[in-house]
Amino acid sequence: PGHELCWARIAGFTLSVMQFAVLDNGSYELQQYDRTLSGNGLNLKYTLQRNRQVVRTVSAVLVQMPN
């Protein structure tokens, strides 16, 4: 318990970073951060799962400002 495993992958225009952790009580968490380039900026998505149940999802869009 307490150990984490991290990995990343690129698929198309998306960089995904995952973090898997076994908690002290024996359950586990999987966090996933997705960063996707779009035509006008960057789409961000964060998902937290505990024991295959989605606990939290956060999404945001960063827009590139014209010069």
Side-chain angles (χ1 to χ4, degrees), residues 42-45 58-62:
L42 184 70
N43 297 328
L44 304 173
K45 183 179 177 187
V58 179
S59 297
V61 177
L62 302 176

Side-chain angles (χ1 to χ4, degrees), residues 7-58:
W7 67 97
R9 69 175 180 222
I10 295 175
F13 293 102
T14 302
L15 168 65
S16 299
V17 177
M18 280 71 71
Q19 179 180 0
F20 178 83
V22 177
L23 306 177
D24 291 336
N25 65 5
S27 64
Y28 64 89
E29 285 187 346
L30 177 64
Q31 298 182 57
Q32 181 168 340
Y33 302 85
D34 294 321
R35 296 157 181 89
T36 304
L37 290 175
S38 65
N40 62 344
L42 184 70
N43 297 328
L44 304 173
K45 183 179 177 187
Y46 167 79
T47 304
L48 170 62
Q49 295 182 34
R50 285 196 186 108
N51 301 320
R52 295 188 182 185
Q53 298 292 322
V54 175
V55 175
R56 181 173 298 131
T57 301
V58 179

